[in-house]
């Protein structure tokens, strides 16, 4: 894979976004941090300057979809849940989007009707390598 220059921009709001942002910045301090610093309109303008979205099933993901960005979103819910009606990944995933969904192939015990544990659990089945491979596929393929 050819190397490329990447600028990482952290967006989001709230305590959990700040917590995860601080963990991320502990690993990659060069990332531009806008967490809890932008309005929704400003977040849209930040995203407008981006080529790809990488994040979770969040409001900013849907803003990125509306802007036509490609990328990857990590969902905590498995794709093989019984009953489509109860599968948030079906109902809340970006519709007709260039953003790929990275999610567990099957739920862990106790999450067969949806991940209901109050801590990161099923989402840990999605590996960083899976997300990296999806982003690499899109970048090398010229997608968004």
């Amino acid at each position: 894979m050819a190397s490329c220059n990447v600028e990482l921009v952290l967006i989001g709001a709230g305590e959990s976004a700040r917590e995860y942002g601080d963990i991320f910045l502990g690993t990659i301090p060069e990332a531009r941090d806008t967490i809890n610093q932008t309005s929704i309109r400003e977040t849209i303008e930040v995203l407008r300057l981006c080529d790809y979205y990488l994040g979770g099933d969040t409001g900013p993901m849907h803003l990125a979809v509306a802007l036509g960005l490609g990328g990857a979103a990590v969902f905590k819910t498995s794709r093989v849940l019984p009953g489509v009606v109860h599968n948030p990944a079906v109902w809340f995933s970006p519709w007709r989007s260039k953003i790929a969904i990275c999610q567990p192939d099957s739920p862990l015990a106790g999450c067969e009707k949806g991940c209901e544990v109050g801590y990161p659990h099923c989402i840990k089945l999605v590996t960083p390598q899976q997300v990296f491979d999806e982003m690499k596929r899109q970048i090398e393929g010229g997608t968004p």
Side-chain angles (χ1 to χ4, degrees):
M1 176 173 128
S3 66
C4 59
N5 290 327
V6 175
E7 181 178 357
L8 301 172
V9 181
L10 305 180
I11 59 175
E15 282 183 44
S16 63
R18 179 72 275 148
E19 278 180 44
Y20 292 124
D22 288 343
I23 292 168
F24 190 92
L25 289 166
T27 304
I28 305 175
E30 309 80 34
R32 184 173 296 194
D33 182 10
T34 70
I35 296 172
N36 292 329
Q37 298 175 37
T38 57
S39 66
I40 291 175
R41 287 182 184 191
E42 291 168 328
T43 299
I44 291 168
E45 291 308 312
V46 169
L47 285 167
R48 195 181 306 277
L49 298 172
C50 295
D51 295 315
Y52 296 93
Y53 171 87
L54 172 58
D57 172 20
T58 64
M61 176 199 66
H62 293 285
L63 296 174
V65 168
L67 292 168
L69 294 178
V74 180
F75 276 60
K76 69 179 182 177
T77 307
S78 146
R79 65 185 86 192
V80 295
L81 289 175
V84 170
V85 172
H86 301 293
N87 188 340
V90 171
W91 285 100
F92 301 113
S93 65
W95 185 60
R96 293 188 179 178
S97 169
K98 299 172 191 169
I99 294 178
I101 302 302
C102 299
Q103 60 192 133
D105 287 326
S106 59
L108 292 171
C111 294
E112 294 82 7
K113 293 185 179 178
C115 198
E116 310 240 348
V117 181
Y119 56 89
H121 178 68
C122 293
I123 198 168
K124 289 185 175 185
L125 296 173
V126 178
T127 67
Q129 188 64 51
Q130 288 171 297
V131 177
F132 175 82
D133 289 345
E134 179 56 40
M135 292 300 294
K136 178 181 171 188
R137 183 189 69 74
Q138 289 195 31
I139 291 168
E140 288 181 345
T143 306

